[in-house]
Amino acid sequence: MKNKNIQPGKGCQAGLACLLLALCGRSMAAESMEQAWANALQVDHTLAAAGQREEAARHGVAAAEARRLPTVNLNAGYTRLQSEPAAAINIPALHLNGLPFAQDESYSAGVSFSAPLFTAGRISNGIAAAGAMGDAARAASQMSRNELKLAVAEAYVGVLRAQRLNAVAISHVKSIERHADDVAQLFKQGYAARHDLLAAQVALADARQQALQGANGVALAGAAYNRLLGRGQDQAVDLAELNEAGAAAADLAALIAAGRGQRGELGQLSAQENALRHQSASVAAQRAPQVGVSGGWGKLQNRYLVEDKGWWIGVALKWELFDGGLVKREAAQLGANAQAVAELRADAADKIELQVRQSWLRLQEAAARIEVARAALAQADETLDLSRERYRAGLAPNSEVLDAETRRMGAYANRDNAFYDRALAQLRLQYASGRL
């Protein structure tokens, strides 16, 4: 961006040019907005947390898919009884009074497996629900990235704005100091009233107050910017100036369509709705028959058995015929929550359209303000020079000079505010349309 000297008068143009070059000029090492984004994305804790939630969602999908796989169990045990178990059989001829059928101590071991054969969609819908939650987590991560980039951009512009307004305040002090010196000389020579001298001194004190506020604004803006980048908040900030030529705004209808299609909020809500509908279907599937297969191999130490080890396999059917409406109500609850999310998505889409429209209109306004402010700059400088000449010649009151300087300061502040308002409007429009 080209630097424009703030000219309180022809005599101090060179000094003020040096001041603005020092405050607004940027070296090759100055940090660009793209570099600020890259640095912030590496250190932001909120974004790191979003990444961990995305990782958790991936584990959730893997856990849901694992329900399809067989489960294998290994078991072993030792049993000690008070006495050997015996059947109540009495055969006097054989002198049998009870028939033992197990030892009083024994070891057992085995391996078993079980796997679902048919779940009426309970598992498949659970997997789909977990996948949708993963989509929601990814959309949330993208939202966090975009929100962080917008916050960094706003802080970046805030630093530049504070520095430029501080430069205007400093130039205001120098201009008032020059006028106060002129009034003091005229007062000593008897050509100016004491009232003029006091008015100039009061104006100078007020200008210095504004300069102090401007310097503090630079420090506050720098601290906010450094926090977002994970730096010491008192660290010096050196930022590259923004391009003076603003990008042309795209067609409003295209921007609204882009926002509705690309904003992470809508993707997250769509994924949440999808997940809830699949969860509802998974719960409802519990009312249908559930079929599974199980099998295994086992060994039981027992000298009374002909064969104490062997394989087994079986098929099990579970069909819960009556549960008091529990499953039906749980499925309906999830379905209602899904519909609630759908309503929130529709509302979010309308809000996004409003955000795009507001940002687009503010961009047009700021661009128009820049042209108006630029037209006023030269007039403000010329008015101040003429007022000073008229005052020295005794043709204008002291208040005319002070008013002209106030208007000059306001003209430059208006120009800078309009420029940075346009930059912010462009960034917010990119964010609102999902293109940041």
Side-chain angles (χ1 to χ4, degrees), residues 12-313:
C12 59
Q13 288 183 6
L16 289 178
C18 294
L19 174 63
L20 278 179
L21 285 172
L23 291 174
C24 302
R26 296 294 180 261
S27 66
M28 294 299 292
E31 187 173 44
S32 68
M33 190 174 294
E34 289 73 17
Q35 292 171 331
W37 281 337
N39 293 334
L41 291 173
Q42 292 178 357
V43 301
D44 185 70
H45 297 296
T46 301
L47 187 59
Q52 290 301 314
R53 285 191 289 269
E54 191 174 343
E55 179 67 17
R58 284 194 288 269
H59 287 301
V61 173
E65 291 174 341
R67 296 183 183 278
R68 281 178 169 169
L69 303 177
T71 58
V72 180
N73 298 304
L74 178 66
N75 57 80
Y78 166 77
T79 303
R80 180 70 170 87
L81 303 176
Q82 182 178 359
S83 59
E84 285 189 342
I89 299 176
N90 187 5
I91 306 177
L94 298 178
H95 304 286
L96 287 177
N97 186 13
L99 181 64
F101 59 85
Q103 302 171 200
D104 57 356
E105 62 176 343
S106 62
Y107 295 91
S108 63
V111 60
S112 62
F113 76 93
S114 62
L117 293 179
F118 174 76
T119 63
R122 177 174 57 86
I123 293 178
S124 60
N125 278 294
I127 295 172
M133 292 305 296
D135 294 338
R138 284 187 289 274
S141 292
Q142 186 60 43
M143 283 172 52
S144 296
R145 289 174 61 87
N146 292 341
E147 289 171 356
L148 175 61
K149 290 180 69 175
L150 179 61
V152 171
E154 290 177 338
Y156 189 103
V157 173
V159 171
L160 294 178
R161 186 198 299 268
Q163 291 174 342
R164 290 293 291 271
L165 294 179
N166 187 44
V168 172
I170 292 173
S171 76
H172 182 54
V173 170
K174 292 184 176 296
S175 179
I176 296 295
E177 284 177 344
R178 180 189 171 197
H179 177 66
D181 290 341
D182 290 343
V183 174
Q185 291 297 325
L186 292 173
F187 177 73
K188 289 180 180 179
Q189 298 171 10
Y191 295 113
R194 181 171 179 77
H195 176 270
D196 289 353
L197 179 62
L198 293 175
Q201 291 173 344
V202 170
L204 179 58
D206 182 67
R208 287 171 175 165
Q209 289 270 1
Q210 295 180 47
L212 289 173
Q213 293 173 346
N216 189 53
V218 172
L220 291 172
Y225 176 79
N226 283 328
R227 186 196 70 81
L228 290 172
L229 273 69
R231 299 170 180 168
Q233 296 184 14
D234 57 350
Q235 182 174 329
V237 176
D238 183 19
L239 304 181
E241 187 54 272
L242 301 176
N243 187 1
E244 175 117 13
D251 178 68
L252 178 58
L255 291 169
I256 291 174
R260 286 180 174 271
Q262 300 180 33
R263 281 286 289 270
E265 293 93 325
L266 301 183
Q268 183 186 33
L269 290 170
S270 294
Q272 289 176 350
E273 178 191 356
N274 193 25
L276 287 167
R277 296 201 184 281
H278 282 295
Q279 288 174 1
S280 177
S282 179
V283 170
Q286 297 178 21
R287 301 171 65 188
Q290 308 289 307
V291 182
V293 61
S294 60
W297 178 89
K299 175 177 174 58
L300 175 63
Q301 182 187 21
N302 191 335
R303 60 174 173 263
Y304 298 103
L305 297 177
V306 175
E307 184 63 55
D308 63 354
K309 58 182 177 295
W311 293 93
W312 59 274
I313 191 168

